[in-house]
Amino acid sequence: MLHSLSLSALLISTQVLASPYSRPNSDPLPLLIWHGLGDNYAADGLAEVASLAEEVNPGTYTYIIRLDEDVSSDRTATFLGNVTEQIASVCAAIHADPILSSAPGVNALGFSQGGQFLRGLVERCGGENGIKVRNLVTFGSQHNGIAKYQLCKPTDWLCKGYIGLLKANTWGAWVQGHLVPAQYFKATDEETGEPTEEYLLNSNFMADINNERALKNVTYAQNLAQLDNFVMYVFENDTTVVPKETGWFAYTNLTSGDVVELRDREIYKEDWIGLKKLDKKGGLHFKTTKGEHMTLGEKVLKDVFSEWFVPPTESWKKVVEDVVQEIIEL
Ligand SMILES: *[C@@H]1O[C@H](CO)[C@@H](O)[C@H](O)[C@H]1NC(C)=O
Ligand SMILES: *[C@@H]1O[C@H](CO)[C@@H](O)[C@H](O)[C@H]1NC(C)=O
Ligand SMILES: *[C@@H]1O[C@H](CO)[C@@H](O)[C@H](O)[C@H]1NC(C)=O
Ligand SMILES: *[C@@H]1O[C@H](CO)[C@@H](O)[C@H](O)[C@H]1NC(C)=O
């Protein structure tokens, strides 16, 4: 019994390996990286991440997402811009890239706000003829929005001016259309735990991408549920992102500190964005890593690359090896 089962598995796997359409065994899927606030696509840190990806999965084509080829403008776009338009421009850039658009799928790694923007990309730009993200990994992202804006250093007047503008007019159309963090700010009534009317009415990005309004976009849920894996890392001692549990789509009562986990929330129970479906097939993963916001060590990145971004054919190679081993043992 075991023998015949193994043999058919061997046949299937050799067929897959011999298929003229399959890529070379060693070819990993391309990797998209979306950086965080204040960073730029040409930063040394990102190049290091890309070279780690190459080290773990040789041959990885890494595309570091940019909103402008000019480095300084790319950085500015992390603060200034309409996130809806930014995601649409990234979608177009990926479609225009011959490698990214012809690959059978891509993996995606999002740092901080880049994580929820990549998720937005999957929801809006995925699907049948869209970008096929297989595994999405986010670090310290703000999937349930932020309840507070970041603190500025005491002498950083530019930051203070910017945050002042954000705070003073978060729900104004100009701010929602131009200042990036306002578009994932989420105001909640601490008494009821429900989002405020102002947020539901005016949020340019978060309320839409989380399908929090009465009218749900079913495409978002379908597209997100099509991921193989969605891996969400929260930094254990993150004090930059308030509350840090937003990285897992959790709701935190800031007065009491009580946390309502995603699985106990409506967004999951009614499956507004496909997370429940993804969870039921084993594709939703809640992870913790040590340290403050974005203290990323080499080890955690290497673990991510070897656990989630290994080439799919590798697993077939392993199946074949295991089967051959079994047959030898019989
Ligand atoms: C839902 O989202 C898709 C993808 O962004 C979009 O094409 C479609 O127009 C949206 N549908 C509604 C009803 O907003
Ligand atoms: C953001 O851009 C989209 C697409 O151009 C537009 O429909 C929307 O009104 C803009 N949002 C704001 C708040 O300006
Ligand atoms: C949040 O905590 C405060 C203080 O414990 C409590 O009064 C309030 O009802 C809580 N809100 C929710 C939605 O549980
Ligand atoms: C980091 O967070 C963990 C768990 O929340 C806590 O036990 C630990 O004391 C924190 N460490 C620091 C340095 O704050």
Side-chain angles (χ1 to χ4, degrees), residues 198-217:
E198 273 182 315
Y199 163 79
L200 289 176
L201 212 56
N202 301 303
S203 168
N204 184 44
F205 175 68
M206 190 53 65
D208 176 78
I209 216 69
N210 283 0
N211 259 340
E212 292 180 88
R213 299 192 171 110
L215 192 65
K216 316 286 184 211
N217 188 325

Side-chain angles (χ1 to χ4, degrees), residues 82-85 172-178 183 202 204:
N82 176 330
V83 176
T84 304
E85 289 170 0
W174 189 86
V175 168
Q176 283 295 322
H178 294 87
Q183 298 165 59
N202 301 303
N204 184 44

